[in-house]
Amino acid sequence: MLSMLKKLMGSVREYKKASILTPFLMVGEVVMECLIPFVIAELVNQIKAECEFSVILRYGLILFIMACVSLMFGALAGITGSKASCGFAKNLRHDMYYRIQEYSFENIDKFSASSLVTRLTTDVANVQMAYMMLIRIAIRSPLMFVFAIVMSFIMGGKLALMFVVVVPILGFGLFMVAKKAMPMFRRVFRKYDNLNSSIQENVKGMRVVKSYVREEYEKEKFGRAADDVCRDFTKAERIVALNSPLMQFCLYIDMIVVLSFGSYLIITTSGLALDVGQFSAMITYGFMILSSLMMLSMIFVMLTMASESAGRIVEVLEESSTLTNPAQPVYDVKDGSVVFENVNFKYSKKAERFALSDINLRINSGETVGILGGTGSSKTSLIQLISRLYDVTEGRVLVGDTDVREYDLESLRNQVAVVLQKNVLFSGTIKENLRWGNAEATDEELKEACRLAQADEFISSFPDGYDTYIEQGGANVSGGQKQRLCIARALLKKPKILILDDSTSAVDTRTDALIRKAFREFIPETTKIIIAQRVSSVQDADKIIIMDKGRVMAVGTHEELLASNEIYQEVYTSQNKGGDDDAE
């Protein structure tokens, strides 16, 4: 718990002053509020003694000033407390988001996207509210309780012991509530992740849902998840809600006893043991004790919820990237040659089998290399090791005759451009999307890259050309247009290695051929690695790698593989036969 708090407090930073000032202001407010009943008691005694009206005015002025001072302290505490808690939440989100950006793919695999969103929103909001309570109400309530108890003893003597008796009873009750509620809140937040995952999946796959007319099914699935969260939250809240009736029962019984004995003392001793002024102040202090304990109960409920959220946040903050720069990194990538030496790889140490086994390959700088294989043959896993998105489990991968683990990560990835099959375009203009590849690229460089990627023609057909706005995820362009824009974006990096991971699957064969022709003619020194499903996309490559079940089954040219490899022969024959059928 202490290490968790220490980690969270690291996000307070520039809001330390406001965080420290708020409790001091709360002390001022509590002192004023606790002194007011004392002054009122004196006023009651003065009135009882038939004082002059001027004395009443003097006491009234004192009470007015004390009330104004208390209000001022409370208002300032509200301002500084809000600034501190909102700033703390801002820094917490900042720290989490920046930490996530440092994650390797292996780290990201540990958290689902929906879980990270919940942690950045709901969990941070819970911690923010708890922090606000800690620096304000958690200071005010104990102080109010202590001051009110002290003043009760000053005003009522031993009679005030009745207020102290209930504290152990309430403490035990709160402990039992926490013990029951905490596991429930833990389950609820995990179910929140599942609920958000369902929403995210539905929104991203909306076209599929509608095309298969599965709206009702998705509604039912969401309803079940929402009901599950509601059911568990209701159980947890029902237990936590026991705080209030337990507290009110104990304290109102307490007040009945105090009122009965206090009235008895005043009547039987004619005000000698306890006068009316003291008794009225004591009753006021009793209600202060009641309200402070009620506020402590609220804090307890909030902290019970926030502690689970805090733990989930700290998990993100303490997760360290599995990929780090070496002590003395290499910044210069000599060329685009790639070598796999005795490489074995699995995504997790707990995984039972290797995704890649016994990989030994050499790709010369400037070569065009095709990779073919069925679904699940680990083609993508192979190329992810080149840009060090994952580290090999055994063996090593060399780029430019240097182990990729010896490079500065940013320098290596700037020289390895990867175009995925499912590419992402961001909200913004075409120019803004293209400049992700090179922020300093000129308009002419943008057009040249788009000409190579066969994208210039369709961009020019848009009314706004390169200033055309791209909707989120590239929703207003076709799949083939999106792929060509992403290829152009990768070319703008001017990389030494260009990897196309089935990234021409949505373009026609003619456009695919034009893109490959442009690569041969205009970027001959760049190593080009093309993962494809179509033989026509790789048959003119310098070498073709055949993969199956995470192993390299054969390496050769189109002619060599056609003569010697059964897998390649089967794929080639089936695709050409399909083409002949279509032609008929």
Side-chain angles (χ1 to χ4, degrees):
M1 180 63 75
L2 288 174
S3 63
M4 182 173 72
L5 288 173
K6 185 178 179 182
K7 191 73 177 180
L8 291 174
M9 290 304 101
S11 296
V12 177
R13 293 197 290 277
E14 69 269 29
Y15 298 97
K16 281 182 182 177
K17 182 179 177 181
S19 298
I20 294 170
L21 187 59
T22 301
F24 279 105
L25 291 169
M26 293 308 302
V27 171
E29 182 187 24
V30 169
V31 169
M32 287 295 105
E33 284 193 21
C34 287
L35 288 176
I36 286 172
F38 182 81
V39 175
I40 291 174
E42 288 296 315
L43 175 59
V44 170
N45 290 334
Q46 289 290 336
I47 294 171
K48 184 182 175 183
E50 300 180 353
C51 66
E52 295 182 0
F53 187 68
S54 59
V55 174
I56 297 173
L57 285 177
R58 186 171 72 250
Y59 274 97
L61 180 61
I62 292 170
L63 288 170
F64 176 75
I65 292 171
M66 290 175 73
C68 288
V69 172
S70 177
L71 177 63
M72 180 190 70
F73 278 128
L76 289 174
I79 293 169
T80 56
S82 298
K83 182 179 178 181
S85 61
C86 291
F88 169 61
K90 180 199 75 173
N91 285 346
L92 204 53
R93 289 193 181 96
H94 170 278
D95 294 346
M96 291 175 70
Y97 187 79
Y98 274 57
R99 173 64 69 179
I100 292 167
Q101 299 307 306
E102 294 173 2
Y103 283 178
S104 66
F105 278 22
E106 185 178 339
N107 296 118
I108 292 171
D109 290 343
K110 291 178 65 176
F111 301 96
S112 66
S114 57
S115 177
L116 289 173
V117 169
T118 305
R119 292 168 200 240
L120 280 161
T121 52
T122 304
D123 288 330
V124 171
N126 286 340
V127 171
Q128 176 186 349
M129 183 61 69
Y131 188 68
M132 167 72 90
M133 286 187 161
L134 280 172
I135 60 176
R136 289 192 65 200
I137 302 175
I139 298 297
R140 174 190 170 86
S141 298
L143 282 175
M144 178 73 77
F145 179 77
V146 172
F147 280 141
I149 287 288
V150 170
M151 295 304 292
S152 293
F153 274 102
I154 291 173
M155 303 304 289
K158 292 181 180 180
L159 189 60
L161 282 171
M162 293 303 301
F163 293 127
V164 182
V165 171
V166 296
V167 174
I169 300 170
L170 292 173
F172 177 75
L174 291 175
F175 171 76
M176 293 305 295
V177 166
K179 187 177 179 181
K180 291 284 186 182
M182 280 295 290
M184 291 186 178
F185 280 122
R186 194 169 293 119
R187 286 199 304 272
V188 164
F189 284 112
R190 282 199 294 268
K191 289 179 179 180
Y192 258 134
D193 291 345
N194 295 334
L195 183 66
N196 285 343
S197 179
S198 176
I199 296 168
Q200 184 183 30
E201 187 179 58
N202 181 269
V203 172
K204 287 180 71 175
M206 186 62 72
R207 288 176 175 81
V208 178
V209 172
K210 290 189 176 297
S211 64
Y212 282 89
V213 197
R214 298 288 282 175
E215 291 92 341
E216 291 304 317
Y217 171 78
E218 288 295 320
K219 288 177 185 177
E220 288 176 12
K221 187 173 76 171
F222 174 81
R224 286 195 299 271
D227 288 342
D228 203 16
V229 170
C230 179
R231 190 163 46 250
D232 275 15
F233 229 129
T234 302
K235 287 180 182 177
E237 290 284 2
R238 191 180 295 152
I239 293 171
V240 169
L242 292 173
N243 283 337
S244 183
L246 172 66
M247 194 165 294
Q248 290 190 28
F249 175 78
C250 291
L251 289 169
Y252 281 127
I253 290 293
D254 212 13
M255 291 299 293
I256 290 170
V257 173
V258 170
L259 281 168
S260 301
F261 276 97
S263 301
Y264 177 77
L265 280 174
I266 292 172
I267 294 168
T268 55
T269 64
S270 301
L272 294 176
L274 183 70
D275 61 33
V276 175
Q278 289 174 309
F279 188 56
S280 65
M282 189 176 173
I283 296 299
T284 303
Y285 287 126
F287 279 106
M288 283 184 175
I289 293 167
L290 170 64
S291 64
S292 64
L293 285 172
M294 290 295 289
M295 285 190 286
L296 281 172
S297 174
M298 289 170 51
I299 295 167
F300 174 78
V301 172
M302 192 65 232
L303 290 181
T304 302
M305 292 177 59
S307 61
E308 180 60 26
S309 291
R312 287 158 52 85
I313 289 169
V314 170
E315 279 182 13
V316 175
L317 294 174
E318 289 186 339
E319 182 74 16
S320 298
S321 176
T322 55
L323 301 179
T324 56
N325 269 354
Q328 296 180 323
V330 176
Y331 292 93
D332 181 47
V333 181
K334 184 178 70 174
D335 57 40
S337 62
V338 180
V339 178
F340 288 82
E341 290 184 355
N342 304 315
V343 168
N344 292 307
F345 168 71
K346 54 185 176 181
Y347 284 98
S348 169
K349 293 177 182 177
K350 298 177 181 178
E352 294 181 2
R353 66 182 188 86
F354 287 103
L356 293 167
S357 301
D358 303 322
I359 305 297
N360 286 282
L361 287 171
R362 179 168 188 87
I363 300 171
N364 297 319
S365 184
E367 279 189 328
T368 298
V369 177
I371 303 178
L372 284 176
T375 302
S377 58
S378 297
K379 303 183 296 296
T380 299
S381 300
L382 183 75
I383 59 99
Q384 285 178 335
L385 300 179
I386 298 173
S387 55
R388 206 187 167 201
L389 296 175
Y390 290 96
D391 271 340
V392 297
T393 307
E394 296 172 4
R396 62 178 187 157
V397 178
L398 292 84
V399 171
D401 296 328
T402 302
D403 192 319
V404 292
R405 289 169 291 195
E406 296 178 17
Y407 281 114
D408 170 68
L409 271 172
E410 186 175 339
S411 300
L412 173 66
R413 289 174 183 171
N414 275 331
Q415 295 301 325
V416 182
V418 182
V419 185
L420 303 170
Q421 181 183 11
K422 294 181 180 179
N423 276 287
V424 176
L425 292 176
F426 298 90
S427 302
T429 65
I430 288 176
K431 280 183 180 178
E432 289 169 346
N433 271 277
L434 292 172
R435 285 197 170 108
W436 272 67
N438 179 1
E440 306 300 324
T442 63
D443 287 353
E444 188 53 45
E445 286 175 324
L446 295 182
K447 290 180 180 179
E448 177 63 23
C450 288
R451 280 194 286 271
L452 292 178
Q454 306 302 308
D456 182 63
E457 184 178 348
F458 77 78
I459 294 172
S460 300
S461 69
F462 294 149
D464 295 326
Y466 283 79
D467 291 314
T468 299
Y469 189 82
I470 299 293
E471 301 291 343
Q472 185 179 16
N476 58 333
V477 292
S478 70
Q481 289 171 339
K482 189 188 298 186
Q483 285 187 337
R484 282 176 278 172
L485 286 172
C486 292
I487 292 171
R489 182 172 65 187
L491 289 172
L492 281 168
K493 291 182 73 173
K494 299 178 181 177
K496 288 186 168 67
I497 300 171
L498 175 64
I499 299 172
L500 305 182
D501 186 358
D502 207 11
S503 51
T504 58
S505 58
V507 302
D508 58 84
T509 52
R510 176 180 172 276
T511 304
D512 186 13
L514 289 172
I515 291 171
R516 287 184 283 111
K517 181 174 180 289
F519 287 173
R520 285 195 304 272
E521 294 177 358
F522 295 98
I523 51 171
E525 295 180 0
T526 299
T527 303
K528 297 161 284 290
I529 301 174
I530 304 170
I531 295 176
Q533 299 295 334
R534 295 187 300 225
V535 171
S536 60
S537 297
V538 297
Q539 68 181 40
D540 57 351
D542 296 310
K543 66 178 69 166
I544 301 169
I545 300 167
I546 306 298
M547 294 192 68
D548 186 43
K549 297 180 181 178
R551 295 176 180 271
V552 173
M553 306 306 293
V555 179
T557 63
H558 169 69
E559 291 76 14
E560 290 169 346
L561 292 173
L562 200 56
S564 62
N565 186 263
E566 290 183 6
I567 297 175
Y568 191 78
Q569 291 167 357
E570 183 181 339
V571 174
Y572 179 79
T573 302
S574 64
Q575 290 183 5
N576 278 287
K577 183 178 182 295
D580 294 339
D581 290 344
D582 291 341
E584 292 172 7

